[in-house]
Amino acid sequence: MVARISTVAFQGIDTRTIETQVQLSGGLPAFTIVGLPDKAVGESRERVRSALLAMGLSLPPKRITVNLAPADVAKEGSHFDLPIALGLLVATGVLAAEEMEEYVALGELGLDGTLRPVAGVLPAAIHANAMEKGFICPAFCGPEAVWAGDSGTGFEVLAPPTLLHLINHFKGTQVLSRPQPTPLDEAAADRGDLRDVKGQESAKRVLEIAAAGGHNLLMVGPPGAGKSMLASRLPGLLPETEPHEMLDLSRIHSVAGMLTDGKLVRHRPFRDPHHSASLPALVGGGSRVRPGEISLAHRGVLFLDELPEFSRQALESLRQPLETGQISIARANAHVTFPARVQLVAAMNPCRCGYLGDPGRACSRAPRCGQDYQAKVSGPILDRIDLHLEVPAVSAADLSLPPPQEGTAEVAARVRRARAIQTRRYAAHNQGPTASFVETNADADGQLLGNVATPDASGRALLADAADRFRLSARGWHRLLRVARTIADLDGSETVGRPHIAEALAYRNNAVAVA
């Protein structure tokens, strides 16, 4: 007899059905796991053996073979402990095979039989619900798993604290109640308020444009000018996440093992990795492929402070995901794709000492030090950033001013109105099954961008003149049109005019707006 228990293997945030096959046969006693297991899966033998002994059950003196099918898919993680143990219990007649066929199981076993939490419970539960099967996971992960379906749909979730509780449930001597989802946080995330920023009115305007259109932003200025402070206020200007976005974000954080108390990720993420972050930390990877910072910031903000201090290889790896909204990680035994639709906000000093342009504080190598320092960021990366802004130092006069009357709430209201315009504009385009999804102006491209952002005659003349003078690339041309379209949306204008093109030019590669 071969006992069969369903579980999953993770490929990015996607899941694949794995059948855990357990067979007891004659021969010398042995416990073998096959099917491309990694070290954590191979060590399941000892954890399962000890967990069964803790309940007074011992493995039969037979040859035990566990096959994780399909055998050509790499198996990683400790979550195979529970399906292997359940397969042994079915093979030895402790549990009924017919009952266990209706469930997908995953969980790590402690030596005393407790079920320990594992990563990836939410996507695994969604997979089980799609298969119209029940789901078994550790008690700690139960509140996370129930988000995969409504109790009214018949999606059954069993979340026992120990393996013994699960056995007693199927024996009818104990009943496991359905876990309750952890309520979402009603309070908005504390992102700070724009009223805390003294001066920097131009920077606040650019921040509003970036939030309204989903544009990437680069701020250049001396130390203490408020670049990091401004960047941290951006998530507060963005619209709240929709239900499908919360589920999308939570799947990524679940695979990364970062969901707290089973709560879905409600607020848009703000990730600010240190400039010493390695390439796998930034884009994902490692021996066991996990999402990187760019995926953890999906549908939120990725803030790279001290941009030139990041390794060149790590920065260049951002080229493709900034364009496509996803990151593909290729390995010899796996090809994994993670979502990475982020809004990049970068900050940097004008030079290594930070005071280029200040005669009293600049180093003796100016202006050459500034040229060398800024050259660490390649042209292709800069070309993918829509908004370039010089942030000046804050004067004592600015600091003595009273708090601004307009704060995050007022600016966020204008951003929501501009986003609503874009939602209506692109609704028809997003209907087709093969259509590329366009959420904001930053996503528009090709003929669609031409249809919605072609300027009037005066604007076209200014745009043509600027393209020749500043030698705009094709990508730069299109990104300038997107920014101009966003500025027009903030103004409530149906057409893109000369003033909108002029303001967009002021934020493009340090170009100066032309009247």
Side-chain angles (χ1 to χ4, degrees), residues 74-88:
K75 318 301 188 306
E76 299 177 339
S78 59
H79 66 274
F80 290 97
D81 290 4
L82 181 57
I84 291 174
L86 293 177
L88 283 169

Side-chain angles (χ1 to χ4, degrees), residues 14-29:
D14 297 321
T15 51
R16 180 167 180 173
T17 302
I18 300 296
E19 185 177 72
T20 305
Q21 303 171 349
V22 180
Q23 182 185 57
L24 304 182
S25 60
L28 292 175

